[in-house]
Amino acid sequence: MATIFRGLGATTALSASSKSNSFDSNRFHFQSRRSLSARKATFLVVRSEGKLNPGLNSRARRPDHFIANAVATKTDSSAASTASKPGHELLLFEALREGLEEEMDRDPTVCVMGEDVGHYGGSYKVTKGLATKYGDLRVLDTPIAENSFTGMGIGAAMTGLRPIVEGMNMGFLLLAFNQISNNCGMLHYTSGGQFKIPIVIRGPGGVGRQLGAEHSQRLESYFQSIPGIQMVACSTPYNAKGLMKAAIRSENPVILFEHVLLYNLKERIPDEEYVCSLEEAEMVRPGEHVTILTYSRMRYHVMQAAKTLVNKGYDPEVIDIRSLKPFDLKTIGDSVKKTHRVLIVEECMRTGGIGASLTAAITENFHDYLDAPIVCLSSQDVPTPYAGTLEEWTVVQPAQIVTAVEQLCQ
Amino acid sequence: MALSHIASSSSRSNLLKPLAAALSCTPSLRRPISSAADDSRTLTIETSIPFTAHNCEPPSRSVDTTPKELLTFFHDMALMRRMEIAADSLYKAKLIRGFCHLYDGQEAVAVGMEAAITKKDSIITAYRDHCTFVGRGGTLLEVFSELMGRKGGCSKGKGGSMHFYKKDSGFYGGHGIVGAQVPLGCGLAFAQKYSKEETVTFVLYGDGAANQGQLFEALNMAALWDLPAILVCENNHYGMGTAEWRAAKSPAYYKRGDYVPGLKVDGMDALAVKQVCSFAKEHALKNGPIILEMDTYRYHGHSMSDPGSTYRTRDEISGVRQERDPIERIRKLILAHDLATEKELKDTEKQVRKEVDEAIAKAKESPMPDPSELFSHIYVKGLGSESFGADRKEVRLVLP
């Protein structure tokens, strides 16, 4: 049976560890990143025959090289998302627009297509002003035909353009599921590597303020099984801009999940150019007692609960996983090894959501390090009701997070 | 039935026209065979039937061609025919598995289209793609290797019959979900317009897929933005087992674009296909999308799992084969114009058969893909993330 070694940590003293020297501490300072230094995915595989597969191993290091110029160039490593240097303040949707505009300036093959992105400026103002600047062909107003304009974006990407397809609401992209699953995700594989699809599919999703069931969907759970795509969720203006840029520069299809309620968050971000890593999680608050994994809007509920928890004497470690596919098991694993308790707080549905997959992934990889079963708080398996009180009950609230942590830490 | 009507009228005109042409240009009748090598000579041949137009002026029925072109048509179509029949035997011998959709009968569409365009123009089609791939420059070895799932296949054995692609000559596949290639094709046309390339995209689909909503969505967008997209409906009259009149309220597919002009063509006549494709290319570069309906026929069933005789009579199939077969038409033209002898044509067919057999033999010997190929090409340049086999036990490795 194949076994997995974690090269970092230097406690594994087996023949395979000689290969793991590439992950020694020197690496930590190589291309320093924002928060917790250079983390690498360090999964080696030794088959039962005992020989390492060299082809795989040589690439088993954290793939810094292929995203070399997409790594954050900021050298200081202060708290996760806010800039320590003076920068400029803006709202999250403006940060997205800034990232988009910078990439469109940089690369003429980047174009945007979606409903009302051009003359109207985008239903959430993310693309405001871009059509006047770049013209109608580069910021294309499409008719209401998600299936076909997503298909068009993918076809354009096959030739080398880098389109960004905006779903006015993520839920509408269900109409484009065939294109996203079969053509976007699988074409690189079924063509034997001939075509790459550097498309970005983005849009707001999640539960808003009484928007009704069909406009409050969380599609991350539906898309997560599609092979060949990457999914990221932004939560702050800093990572929104960084992830937008990284997604555009990525050669793989990326689905960028934004949240309807987070567009007006204000933050100070650096003036200089930076790009976030698509596969990295963000350490929001280091701690010792329990690891709380979250993403998108639930991060704010968690931080609110964290305040209460700190007052009660707990020290939660909060990680915004950001990368929904694939999971940053390196950051998560290190945290689990430290705290031994995991709480997942997500807005996805209970059944088959991101939390469910994350629970399975952590259990499989870090079972020995857990002192208690993983607790996953997700939204209820119901269509989101319109009534405000009922809607509040479908998503996880800070009080529930506090209770869960207390129970977990008994 | 509509088909037999066309069949009889074309057979009449088929035989008469070349003789008439031959008689009218008198020197050609007693030409020695060797000067058929005078390839630059232009022949003007009339198509079997006139074009039917919707919202536009049809092109002329007289097609200019050269002896070389006609001989190339013959060779290429014979190659495609032979390839498909060989694929049939390979499938029955269980060397090709899964779905195998054969194109024999429809070769004139692939060959005529290639004659009208360059490799810089793009073609995208659905799953009946073997011959289109060969037309775009794919080799027989790549075809058979891919069909048998070998490493040397055009998609490295990972695509199969329905996923042939050739990026360097503008062949974008090869798609299993029928209809989904139409928005993709409009995307290709969008990119061509964006990059100002002065090239066009031919988006092929069948009479079955013609009822897909995404086709009309894509057509609307293509017309809105004047994209150089040419939608080609390869109407072989059956959407798998359903005849066109049972699936479409209006089987006049060339008219269904409404504001988009359309032309209906005899898809068994390679010269007519060539004429209309050049016309369409010019039109699309100036005015945006146009729909071409190719009236064609497939001799095999929908795929190898379909005998093809439960929803149509054998008489119909053999009738079309006798009256309208594309290869026979070109053969008659070549013989009527003394471009080659009967024997030379038979030799071409024998040579083609030999090529196909050699390619199959070579493909049979070629290796299967490595197990590590299971995980390659999922992401571009890999991620360092884990990937699992179905049981999450056996193969766990880092994506390269």
Side-chain angles (χ1 to χ4, degrees):
Chain A
M1 184 112 132
T3 348
I4 294 201
F5 296 88
R6 275 148 213 83
L8 200 64
T11 50
T12 48
L14 288 147
S15 57
S17 62
S18 57
K19 288 273 182 177
S20 70
N21 283 341
S22 54
F23 311 108
D24 64 14
S25 53
N26 295 338
R27 286 289 168 200
F28 283 104
H29 306 298
F30 170 66
Q31 279 198 4
S32 59
R33 305 183 190 213
R34 292 177 296 101
S35 41
L36 288 177
S37 49
R39 298 276 174 146
K40 318 257 188 291
T42 56
F43 298 99
L44 305 176
V45 176
V46 175
R47 306 278 176 99
S48 45
E49 315 91 304
K51 60 176 166 44
L52 285 162
N53 189 336
L56 299 167
N57 244 8
S58 59
R59 318 268 209 111
R61 303 177 302 120
R62 182 63 161 175
D64 283 333
H65 299 298
F66 81 88
I67 50 167
N69 56 353
V71 169
T73 51
K74 230 162 82 85
T75 47
D76 60 281
S77 53
S78 51
S81 52
T82 53
S84 56
K85 297 197 186 102
H88 54 286
E89 234 182 23
L90 40 56
L91 304 177
L92 196 143
F93 73 87
E94 289 168 344
L96 287 167
R97 190 195 319 147
E98 226 177 68
L100 190 47
E101 204 169 338
E102 281 173 20
E103 290 304 302
M104 286 181 85
D105 277 333
R106 185 177 166 269
D107 185 350
T109 60
V110 178
C111 56
V112 183
M113 45 182 84
E115 293 157 10
D116 278 328
V117 295
H119 294 191
Y120 192 82
S123 49
Y124 292 94
K125 295 182 287 219
V126 174
T127 49
K128 190 163 177 177
L130 296 182
T132 11
K133 185 171 173 190
Y134 297 108
D136 281 345
L137 198 65
R138 258 187 108 180
V139 186
L140 192 63
D141 275 327
T142 63
I144 304 176
E146 280 78 10
N147 195 1
S148 38
F149 71 70
T150 311
M152 256 187 62
I154 296 167
M158 280 168 93
T159 65
L161 287 192
R162 305 185 90 94
I164 296 151
V165 173
E166 175 175 312
M168 193 184 271
N169 185 293
M170 270 300 189
F172 306 163
L173 290 180
L174 284 174
L175 288 160
F177 207 108
N178 175 49
Q179 296 288 353
I180 296 175
S181 168
N182 289 332
N183 294 329
C184 177
M186 298 194 196
L187 262 174
H188 187 61
Y189 191 86
T190 56
S191 65
Q194 282 179 72
F195 296 109
K196 56 181 172 71
I197 318 285
I199 194 176
V200 177
I201 298 174
R202 51 159 290 267
V207 177
R209 296 253 181 268
Q210 298 186 255
L211 298 178
E214 290 173 357
H215 291 74
S216 314
Q217 298 192 68
R218 284 125 287 167
L219 293 211
E220 28 309 356
S221 53
Y222 304 154
F223 289 140
Q224 65 178 322
S225 306
I226 301 174
I229 59 160
Q230 282 184 251
M231 305 201 304
V232 284
C234 63
S235 49
T236 66
Y238 181 84
N239 63 35
K241 179 177 172 184
L243 289 174
M244 170 72 96
K245 289 170 73 92
I248 297 174
R249 293 188 195 189
S250 167
E251 305 289 0
N252 294 306
V254 179
I255 306 186
L256 173 57
F257 290 92
E258 301 153 14
H259 197 287
V260 273
L261 293 180
L262 297 183
Y263 278 129
N264 289 322
L265 280 180
K266 190 184 281 205
E267 193 185 356
R268 179 163 284 267
I269 66 168
D271 288 326
E272 61 269 14
E273 201 188 13
Y274 68 94
V275 184
C276 291
S277 167
L278 284 177
E279 297 96 25
E280 210 182 343
E282 193 179 312
M283 177 69 70
V284 184
R285 180 190 187 285
E288 295 288 326
H289 290 163
V290 60
T291 300
I292 306 183
L293 302 172
T294 181
Y295 66 93
S296 194
R297 179 171 167 239
M298 287 297 115
R299 168 190 174 134
Y300 295 94
H301 282 205
V302 167
M303 289 313 288
Q304 210 181 325
K307 270 194 239 154
T308 319
L309 286 169
V310 164
N311 288 340
K312 291 193 177 182
Y314 294 97
D315 187 17
E317 176 154 294
V318 180
I319 295 180
D320 181 343
I321 61 174
R322 270 185 4 198
S323 172
L324 304 179
K325 181 180 168 86
F327 295 130
D328 180 5
L329 287 177
K330 179 74 189 61
T331 312
I332 295 173
D334 288 344
S335 178
V336 172
K337 285 180 214 164
K338 189 167 57 161
T339 65
H340 310 297
R341 289 181 169 78
V342 179
L343 171 66
I344 301 173
V345 180
E346 55 154 3
E347 205 176 329
C348 234
M349 314 292 246
R350 176 140 213 85
T351 307
I354 297 287
S357 301
L358 193 50
T359 307
I362 298 176
T363 311
E364 210 165 305
N365 289 306
F366 307 115
H367 184 256
D368 291 334
Y369 297 93
L370 291 170
D371 282 347
I374 302 176
V375 178
C376 179
L377 296 178
S378 357
S379 298
Q380 305 304 315
D381 278 331
V382 296
T384 313
Y386 167 73
T389 44
L390 291 180
E391 188 186 61
E392 234 179 73
W393 277 102
T394 58
V395 292
V396 180
Q397 298 297 335
Q400 295 166 302
I401 302 174
V402 172
T403 320
V405 170
E406 286 175 336
Q407 280 180 340
L408 196 48
C409 289
Q410 269 165 359
Chain B
M1 253 206 10
L3 287 170
S4 54
H5 164 71
I6 295 173
S8 54
S9 67
S10 67
S11 64
R12 225 181 319 119
S13 50
N14 196 13
L15 290 170
L16 285 176
K17 286 291 183 276
L19 285 176
L23 287 169
S24 60
C25 48
T26 36
S28 62
L29 218 58
R30 286 292 162 258
R31 229 180 33 258
I33 302 303
S34 55
S35 74
D38 178 12
D39 291 335
S40 52
R41 189 162 51 93
T42 312
L43 297 166
T44 305
I45 300 179
E46 290 234 337
T47 63
S48 57
I49 51 169
F51 302 113
T52 335
H54 167 75
N55 271 355
C56 69
E57 280 306 307
S60 145
R61 267 181 85 177
S62 305
V63 187
D64 286 335
T65 180
T66 66
K68 182 163 179 221
E69 187 170 64
L70 287 175
L71 289 167
T72 314
F73 278 3
F74 183 84
H75 173 269
D76 290 345
M77 288 202 282
L79 185 77
M80 292 174 180
R81 177 69 60 93
R82 192 70 232 136
M83 177 181 81
E84 296 293 71
I85 302 210
D88 178 310
S89 330
L90 287 175
Y91 191 91
K92 288 178 176 144
K94 291 208 196 276
L95 282 163
I96 301 179
R97 315 302 299 273
F99 292 126
C100 188
H101 305 87
L102 299 177
Y103 201 72
D104 54 326
Q106 298 183 215
E107 299 89 354
V109 176
V111 152
M113 192 180 285
E114 279 306 325
I117 61 178
T118 69
K119 293 288 188 284
K120 290 230 180 317
D121 296 306
S122 310
I123 298 185
I124 188 169
T125 181
Y127 45 70
R128 211 175 289 279
D129 55 355
H130 306 167
C131 299
T132 324
F133 174 74
V134 167
R136 287 263 93 181
T139 64
L140 285 172
L141 182 59
E142 281 178 330
V143 170
F144 288 117
S145 305
E146 185 63 35
L147 287 174
M148 294 198 253
R150 306 299 164 108
K151 194 150 84 160
C154 52
S155 301
K156 304 202 172 55
K158 300 204 280 194
S161 162
M162 298 190 281
H163 298 286
F164 281 19
Y165 304 89
K166 197 162 171 62
K167 184 170 188 185
D168 50 13
S169 29
F171 182 54
Y172 288 85
H175 294 276
I177 306 295
V178 89
Q181 79 275 15
V182 180
L184 287 183
C186 290
L188 300 174
F190 175 79
Q192 285 170 333
K193 185 172 176 127
Y194 192 97
S195 321
K196 302 192 175 64
E197 280 170 16
E198 297 294 311
T199 50
V200 294
T201 303
F202 282 82
V203 186
L204 277 62
Y205 59 96
D207 48 295
N211 298 315
Q212 275 263 329
Q214 50 190 325
L215 195 153
F216 295 96
E217 292 177 13
L219 194 59
N220 175 39
M221 290 195 279
L224 200 53
W225 303 318
D226 285 328
L227 302 182
I230 298 159
L231 272 67
V232 179
C233 178
E234 293 179 293
N235 184 4
N236 55 27
H237 306 284
Y238 295 95
M240 201 162 93
T242 309
E244 58 175 346
W245 55 271
R246 289 182 63 225
K249 183 75 181 171
S250 158
Y253 299 105
Y254 70 107
K255 283 194 190 161
R256 300 233 290 207
D258 186 20
Y259 40 81
V260 172
L263 282 169
K264 183 167 170 156
V265 189
D266 178 6
M268 306 298 250
D269 180 354
L271 291 169
V273 172
K274 172 187 156 187
Q275 178 85 326
V276 86
C277 287
S278 335
F279 173 81
K281 177 168 176 174
E282 258 181 66
H283 183 279
L285 284 173
K286 278 202 307 270
N287 306 329
I290 180 171
I291 300 184
L292 302 177
E293 183 184 335
M294 305 280 174
D295 186 348
T296 180
Y297 201 82
R298 54 167 163 82
Y299 299 142
H300 269 91
H302 163 76
S303 73
M304 286 306 300
S305 340
D306 169 30
S309 48
T310 54
Y311 47 87
R312 51 186 190 174
T313 61
R314 292 196 196 278
D315 285 339
E316 181 188 301
I317 306 173
S318 51
V320 175
R321 202 188 273 273
Q322 253 178 312
E323 308 281 338
R324 298 178 65 202
D325 186 80
I327 301 181
E328 287 314 305
R329 175 191 300 280
I330 296 291
R331 189 199 300 269
K332 285 185 193 132
L333 270 176
I334 291 178
L335 293 175
H337 286 268
D338 274 333
L339 305 177
T341 60
E342 184 79 43
K343 181 174 177 311
E344 282 174 348
L345 293 180
K346 282 232 184 311
D347 283 341
T348 309
E349 285 181 314
K350 278 206 199 99
Q351 188 222 338
V352 146
R353 190 181 184 128
K354 191 158 142 305
E355 265 177 53
V356 167
D357 288 340
E358 271 169 15
I360 293 180
K362 200 156 172 216
K364 275 186 190 165
E365 301 302 312
S366 68
M368 292 292 234
D370 295 329
S372 66
E373 289 286 326
L374 179 61
F375 298 102
S376 61
H377 302 304
I378 295 186
Y379 293 106
V380 176
K381 289 192 222 155
L383 282 181
S385 65
E386 285 211 346
S387 183
F388 300 94
D391 58 357
R392 292 182 80 101
K393 281 193 172 75
E394 195 44 46
V395 182
R396 303 162 84 182
L397 48 83
V398 177
L399 287 177

